Amino acid sequence: MAPFLNPTQVNDPTKNKIRLIWILIYPFFVCLLTEWVQRDNLYDLSVWLQTKSVNFYLCYLFILAMFLLFYSLSSRIWVASIFSGLIPIVFALINYFKLSFRDEPLLPWDFFLSQEAFSINSNLNLTLAPHHLLILLILSGILFLPIYLRKFELSLNYKSRLMISFFSLSLFFSLFHFVYLNEDNLVALNIEDKRWNQSENYLDNGFLNGFFINLENIMIEKPSLYSYASINSILEDYPGEKIMASASSKLPTTTEPNIIFIMNESLFDPTQLDNVSFSTSPVTNIRAMQEGNLLVSEFGGGTANTEFEVLTGNKTLYLPAGSVAYQQYINKEIPALPSFLKEYGYNTVAVHPYASWFWNRDTVYPNLGFDEFISMDDFENPEIAGNLISDHSAVNQVIKEFEDNQSSNDPFFCYLVTMQNHCSYLDKGYNNFDVTTSSDALDEESLEMLNNYVQGVYDADAAYGEIVNYFKNVDEPTVIVMFGDHLPGLGEDYQVYRDLGFIDTDDLEGDDYINLYSTPISVYSNTDSIDLSDLGLVDANELGIEVLDRCGFTLPSYWAFLLDQQQDFSQNNFVTVNSDGTLTEGISAETEKFNQEQWLIEYDILFGDGYFENVN
């Protein structure tokens, strides 16, 4: 009688061998199918298997451990086969679609963003590729055998189940402790954590390996040089205001201007595209008042990260790739434009015509110093355009908030995040078009996406003109700054941009990153005493600081330190641009030194002991 079987069951050596072979071979096929999902053809898969065999066997061991765990819990091979087969392949498909639409793979912290993902992506056109259908068909065929043979299953006794469970958990522990979370062993296995390029990270290391290697990035390590002395050493040459001083210590000596920021959803100047014509210009006002470009680190999504940079002066460059500071890291009051301006007596208002919980704004905004948050629930009978609250309604809500603020005699700061031109750009529901596009280089679906997007830009431009015209008749000094959070994702793998020749058709290079990660900055000031001209190329985390400086505020030491850097170079997660417009290959020693210093201060603000408050 086999010790792993119930005494009432007959030991069958042949069936036991078949089960053992199945247990060892099945994860092999699941691993192959999981990796095939990420690649469009079997040739790429075969090249990966030949060059990255260690990576493949790590994936195999993980799926084997998962199979054994389900087997120990259910005592049924067919149950273990279904769960250990479907789970990795379903998540691999999710990863594939995320890569297609965002050029960013599925990351561990995405599971904190499930509400956001389902809310926005529910109207995306997700279509399985032919090889995905073939993969699911093959998996179904493979699963048919254990399901068909389930009547011959032999139940494990409790001792056997405990032993298999122990082995499975030990295998999991070994993989995570000795490999995925052990940098030295990863290097020894010739596995490179390419956190600066997550798409390549997943393709090179395999989907499961890439995902689990990123678990270490959830944990923010204290920089080795972090101390009060190091923070003081960086900031001592930049005397300025205390960044979070008490309101009583700051008494305005001049009339502070009203400041309005409009972060317009997916705003980009489509007239920069070649091989396309427009019935009329969609960016008349934006172009007339454009004074620079914003260098962002997001494409096709990630609005909250651009917002985080503009409002705080911090960079997502130093945070784990793909993470969202609003969701993961802002759980206390931190320095930001609204908290700084509150010290000067400003009323600070955030306006966003969407759900208040989106990107955790209802929790984050008070920690940034906003007095009030106007979300979609606070709009009265808003106009709907492109399936969402229109930019027209959004800017009129800002005007209403300004007028309500008049009775207080306090200066007004407002940060508007629009929503109308959010993806998807298919089936936007426009009843008519004020501007139409035409291009022989695009297929019908791509042209529909572009046409819907351009209508949204046209409406954004018109709304910007509305609010500017309103404040032309306001006596109080007021500045308005409008910019885009990121470019729109028009098709998979930059399809529209490639078809129109906006970027290289092969691998992205320096100029491509500038094109795909720069959005227009348009500004208006109703007073000659505030000059917002010639902003040039501005890092997202420097824009708010630059505007405050030009409005005449004495900046805190940290922000003065950042503004000083802006004179020399701009950088995002992909490229560094020198002050003369040339691109730097790699990271220069000067840039590396600055990055280390800013990360020390950013760590101090977000995670550390708050030394910055005492050294300004």
Side-chain angles (χ1 to χ4, degrees), residues 78-299:
W78 67 274
V79 172
S81 298
I82 290 175
F83 282 97
S84 62
L86 286 178
I87 289 175
I89 288 177
V90 167
F91 280 104
L93 285 169
I94 294 172
N95 178 67
Y96 178 89
F97 287 123
K98 187 164 183 265
L99 272 168
S100 298
F101 286 99
R102 290 282 305 276
D103 194 30
E104 182 181 274
L106 182 68
L107 295 156
W109 35 90
D110 287 334
F111 291 93
F112 297 106
L113 312 176
S114 55
Q115 275 188 302
E116 286 80 359
F118 282 114
S119 176
I120 288 299
N121 295 329
S122 59
N123 61 349
L124 293 180
N125 184 21
L126 304 180
T127 304
L128 290 173
H131 75 288
H132 293 154
L133 296 174
L134 180 58
I135 287 168
L136 293 176
L137 183 63
I138 292 172
L139 179 64
S140 300
I142 294 174
L143 288 174
F144 177 77
L145 182 59
I147 294 175
Y148 176 74
L149 297 176
R150 66 185 183 275
K151 61 183 177 180
F152 300 108
E153 290 270 19
L154 295 179
S155 298
L156 301 174
N157 61 33
Y158 76 94
K159 290 183 179 179
S160 303
R161 296 171 75 169
L162 284 175
M163 290 179 64
I164 294 175
S165 177
F166 176 78
F167 179 79
S168 170
L169 295 175
S170 298
L171 188 52
F172 277 129
F173 174 82
S174 299
L175 285 170
F176 286 98
H177 182 73
F178 295 111
V179 182
Y180 295 135
L181 303 181
N182 190 309
E183 188 172 348
D184 292 336
N185 288 342
L186 285 174
V187 172
L189 292 170
N190 199 29
I191 296 174
E192 185 178 4
D193 179 8
K194 298 181 179 180
R195 64 185 68 184
W196 60 89
N197 188 333
Q198 290 290 355
S199 300
E200 186 177 345
N201 196 26
Y202 277 50
L203 280 175
D204 202 37
N205 293 318
F207 164 61
L208 291 174
N209 294 330
F211 183 87
F212 293 126
I213 288 171
N214 271 304
L215 289 173
E216 186 178 20
N217 296 333
I218 293 179
M219 300 171 281
I220 306 297
E221 290 188 17
K222 182 170 72 173
S224 58
L225 298 177
Y226 176 66
S227 67
Y228 174 83
S230 64
I231 301 297
N232 185 69
S233 175
I234 297 167
L235 297 180
E236 62 183 353
D237 294 332
Y238 298 92
E241 296 279 8
K242 280 188 175 293
I243 202 166
M244 292 180 73
S246 63
S248 60
S249 68
K250 294 180 178 178
L251 299 175
T253 56
T254 59
T255 302
E256 284 74 21
N258 301 307
I259 302 174
I260 297 170
F261 279 73
I262 302 174
M263 188 170 73
N264 196 276
E265 175 60 46
S266 300
L267 181 65
F268 160 68
D269 181 355
T271 64
Q272 294 180 13
L273 299 170
D274 293 328
N275 304 310
V276 62
S277 59
F278 306 90
S279 60
T280 187
S281 173
V283 287
T284 303
N285 295 307
I286 292 169
R287 289 289 287 271
M289 290 177 269
Q290 184 173 353
E291 294 292 346
N293 289 284
L294 192 70
L295 187 63
V296 299
S297 294
E298 302 293 332
F299 174 85

Side-chain angles (χ1 to χ4, degrees), residues 373-402:
F373 176 23
I374 306 300
S375 67
M376 64 186 296
D377 294 333
D378 302 304
F379 280 65
E380 295 182 6
N381 301 315
E383 174 189 58
I384 303 299
N387 304 323
L388 296 162
I389 294 178
S390 71
D391 283 11
H392 168 75
S393 289
V395 299
N396 276 280
Q397 186 68 39
V398 173
I399 292 171
K400 177 182 181 301
E401 296 304 318
F402 169 74

